[in-house]
Amino acid sequence: MASCNDNVLCKPIVLICLYGFFTYIKPSEPYVTPFLMGEDKNLTEEEVVNQIYPVWSYSYTAFLVPIFLLTDFLRYKPIIMLQGVGYIGCWVLLVTATGVPLMQLMQVFYGLATAAEIGYYSYIYSVVDHDQYQKSTSYVRTSTQLGLFIGSAMSQILVSVANLDYIYLNYISLFNVSIGFILSIFLPFPKRSLYFYRDSDNNASSVERGTDDIRHSSKNSRDSRISDNITSIKASGKVPEEEIVEPPLEDSTMPLTSKPSLKSRWKIVLINLWKDLKLCYSNLSLLRWSVWWALSTCGWVLVVNYIQSLWEAIRPSYGQEEEAFNGAVEATAQILGAVAAFAVGYLTLNWSRWGEIFLGVGSLAEAVLLFFMATTSEIWVCYIAYVGFITLYNFVITIAQFQIAVGMSTERYALVSGMNTFLAVVLNSILTLIIVDDAVLGLDVADQFIIYSGYFLIVAIIYLGHGCYALFKSHRTRLSIGEVDYVVSEEDS
């Protein structure tokens, strides 16, 4: 069965949850930097930080747009399978290859896999009814968070208790992502999608809207004006409906009920995407939340990508007696991040009034935590600051996602979410090129985190400044209204 009706725990949802669970159990991820700098790969810090890791940002950016456009057209399953191929290619190279060029290719595969996440997270909306979106989204996200937690906890246990070498963590990760790929093969193709293949009850209106757009963009708008006038006459009720004669369209060679060509469908979808984007981002409140989402996610990606390099700079774990607790720290960050996201559901605040100030305060706290990470020489201070940063990010980004989703259709939310992520990735690539890549500045990791701290400080100043201004302006407006009411009441008396 390719879709779910009353039962949200149907075959597609169970399979996609299992896929996410196994794919995200990657115990090697918390230790990928010490693995690359250790005896197995024998790479230097400069090679890892300034030459290999930046390739992921560039690859992610390059893959994201074509995958975003093809996900809906191909009906999700091929993109999910492509994600599995990307992960398998990444870990095959990790366990077999050596040298900077092949490790850069490994990052290309990883960029392909992470860009294909959009197919994984949007698949659920094509196989369940609208009233099941909330439950199915919860199940899918819980499965991935559980996989991430188990992978991080497993890595710490295997390293600390079993004293397992890092290479075996990569073999376990390769095994798990391979299971995920096998599961993706059994995913059914959805019969509908958000834009290209809609339900039959919505498809006609979608085709009609898109066909009209194409016709009106290439022909004279006379027929459109006539149609609008007839609609107005009908609505007025001044003329009996049976007396109204509707002239045929000048160009009616293609009936609205006929199936459009592939080129026409692409044009229809792109027109509708552009219209939806303009409509969504014309809302200033949504625009402010979206800009913060993109800016904050860009900073978060930079921190997550290079935190292990910072830990290694503070206290090297390879070839040393000191034990690294990367896995335990990541597991703690995942759990607290999930708890913080869950707590958002019980938070009540006038977001239209205090939202920007809240975003500014959150960004300021993140800037402080990043400054502690960059300047401390104590690894545990860095660990605790990182856990605090991840927890705070999950808390605030969940609020931003919720505020953007309020009153928005699923199609438009998916579109805005994808666009915000795309802007974050593009900005991340630009900053990576300037700050990290040795082709430009090639800064060491401690200096990078100083800049990341300043980045969040700038975001905090912008949102705090505008939020305080808006609050002051709103207060003055209420005072003015109160003064007018007082004068009116005095005149009445």
Side-chain angles (χ1 to χ4, degrees):
M1 157 167 121
S3 62
C4 308
N5 294 318
D6 296 330
N7 182 17
V8 70
L9 285 176
C10 57
K11 177 184 175 182
I13 295 300
V14 171
L15 281 175
I16 200 69
C17 287
L18 288 173
Y19 167 84
F21 176 72
F22 281 101
T23 300
Y24 285 83
I25 299 179
K26 301 188 287 283
S28 60
E29 282 198 327
Y31 294 96
V32 65
T33 299
F35 172 66
L36 293 175
M37 294 182 184
E39 296 178 355
D40 292 284
K41 304 302 178 185
N42 200 28
L43 298 168
T44 66
E45 179 182 345
E46 180 183 355
E47 288 173 332
V48 173
V49 175
N50 303 117
Q51 297 180 30
I52 295 174
Y53 282 171
V55 175
W56 173 84
S57 297
Y58 310 145
S59 303
Y60 190 6
T61 306
F63 286 127
L64 193 58
V65 172
I67 286 179
F68 175 77
L69 294 175
L70 289 174
T71 294
D72 196 77
F73 176 69
L74 297 176
R75 290 187 293 174
Y76 312 104
K77 178 179 176 177
I79 302 301
I80 297 173
M81 295 178 66
L82 184 64
Q83 183 185 35
V85 170
Y87 279 135
I88 290 174
C90 171
W91 263 274
V92 166
L93 287 171
L94 273 172
V95 299
T96 61
T98 57
V100 171
L102 288 178
M103 290 301 98
Q104 290 175 328
L105 179 61
M106 175 270 294
Q107 289 288 284
V108 172
F109 276 104
Y110 195 72
L112 173 65
T114 48
E117 279 186 350
I118 188 172
Y120 167 71
Y121 281 114
S122 55
Y123 176 85
I124 54 177
Y125 302 123
S126 65
V127 294
V128 300
D129 292 334
H130 190 276
D131 57 353
Q132 300 287 357
Y133 280 177
Q134 183 175 351
K135 285 185 178 180
S136 57
T137 301
S138 174
Y139 294 154
V140 169
R141 290 194 175 273
T142 300
S143 66
T144 58
Q145 287 297 117
L146 186 60
L148 287 168
F149 170 74
I150 291 177
S152 299
M154 179 190 297
S155 68
Q156 190 63 58
I157 293 172
L158 292 176
V159 169
S160 299
V161 179
N163 199 26
L164 203 66
D165 192 81
Y166 295 146
I167 184 67
Y168 296 106
L169 300 181
N170 287 281
Y171 280 117
I172 296 172
S173 297
L174 176 60
F175 177 76
N176 288 333
V177 296
S178 299
I179 291 178
F181 174 74
I182 294 171
L183 288 170
S184 70
I185 297 174
F186 297 97
L187 285 170
F189 272 101
K191 293 181 180 178
R192 58 186 170 87
S193 67
L194 296 180
Y195 281 97
F196 274 98
Y197 314 98
R198 301 196 178 203
D199 288 328
S200 57
D201 56 343
N202 294 327
N203 192 53
S205 61
S206 174
V207 172
E208 180 177 348
R209 179 179 60 173
T211 306
D212 281 342
D213 288 335
I214 296 171
R215 180 183 290 121
H216 294 160
S217 65
S218 59
K219 298 293 183 181
N220 191 283
S221 62
R222 170 183 172 275
D223 294 320
S224 177
R225 294 197 303 270
I226 292 174
S227 177
D228 292 340
N229 290 337
I230 290 174
T231 303
S232 300
I233 293 171
K234 286 181 179 180
S236 68
K238 295 179 179 180
V239 181
E241 190 167 336
E242 61 269 16
E243 295 182 14
I244 301 174
V245 178
E246 301 187 27
L249 296 173
E250 284 188 347
D251 180 21
S252 57
T253 55
M254 185 181 72
L256 295 180
T257 56
S258 64
K259 185 176 181 180
S261 65
L262 178 61
K263 182 179 179 181
S264 296
R265 274 196 291 165
W266 269 103
K267 192 169 184 178
I268 291 168
V269 169
L270 292 176
I271 289 173
N272 290 340
L273 285 173
W274 176 244
K275 285 184 174 181
D276 283 350
L277 277 176
K278 288 199 299 183
L279 179 64
C280 292
Y281 287 113
S282 62
N283 184 314
L284 292 180
S285 176
L286 183 146
L287 180 62
R288 285 191 286 268
W289 285 99
S290 294
V291 169
W292 184 89
W293 178 339
L295 293 174
S296 185
T297 299
C298 168
W300 171 79
V301 170
L302 288 168
V303 171
V304 171
N305 276 356
Y306 297 101
I307 188 61
Q308 291 184 33
S309 303
L310 181 62
W311 291 340
E312 289 298 312
I314 295 173
R315 191 178 73 179
S317 61
Y318 57 91
Q320 306 289 332
E321 294 183 0
E322 291 87 352
E323 184 177 355
F325 293 92
N326 299 15
V329 172
E330 291 287 1
T332 303
Q334 292 295 336
I335 284 295
L336 293 181
V339 171
F342 180 78
V344 170
Y346 298 91
L347 185 65
T348 56
L349 191 67
N350 186 347
W351 296 109
S352 61
R353 187 178 182 186
W354 299 99
E356 284 189 86
I357 293 179
F358 183 87
L359 294 178
V361 171
S363 301
L364 181 61
E366 289 173 325
V368 172
L369 290 170
L370 287 170
F371 183 78
F372 278 125
M373 291 186 221
T375 57
T376 186
S377 59
E378 297 293 331
I379 189 65
W380 281 103
V381 173
C382 192
Y383 282 157
I384 293 170
Y386 173 73
V387 170
F389 175 86
I390 295 298
T391 303
L392 186 59
Y393 170 80
N394 278 280
F395 181 66
V396 184
I397 196 67
T398 303
I399 295 172
Q401 292 172 341
F402 168 72
Q403 288 298 307
I404 292 173
V406 169
M408 186 180 291
S409 67
T410 303
E411 291 91 341
R412 285 177 178 163
Y413 176 74
L415 179 62
V416 170
S417 173
M419 180 55 65
N420 291 346
T421 302
F422 172 70
L423 294 174
V425 170
V426 170
L427 181 58
N428 174 76
S429 294
I430 294 172
L431 293 178
T432 298
L433 176 63
I434 297 172
I435 299 170
V436 183
D437 201 310
D438 58 3
V440 187
L441 294 180
L443 299 178
D444 64 65
V445 68
D447 290 337
Q448 290 175 31
F449 272 74
I450 290 288
I451 293 179
Y452 303 157
S453 175
Y455 172 87
F456 276 96
L457 180 61
I458 293 172
V459 174
I461 291 172
I462 293 173
Y463 274 84
L464 278 174
H466 191 271
C468 290
Y469 169 76
L471 192 64
F472 175 74
K473 186 177 179 181
S474 174
H475 180 67
R476 287 289 301 272
T477 302
R478 288 198 303 273
L479 286 178
S480 300
I481 294 174
E483 290 174 0
V484 171
D485 291 340
Y486 176 76
V487 171
V488 171
S489 62
E490 284 290 310
E491 291 177 351
D492 291 342
S493 61

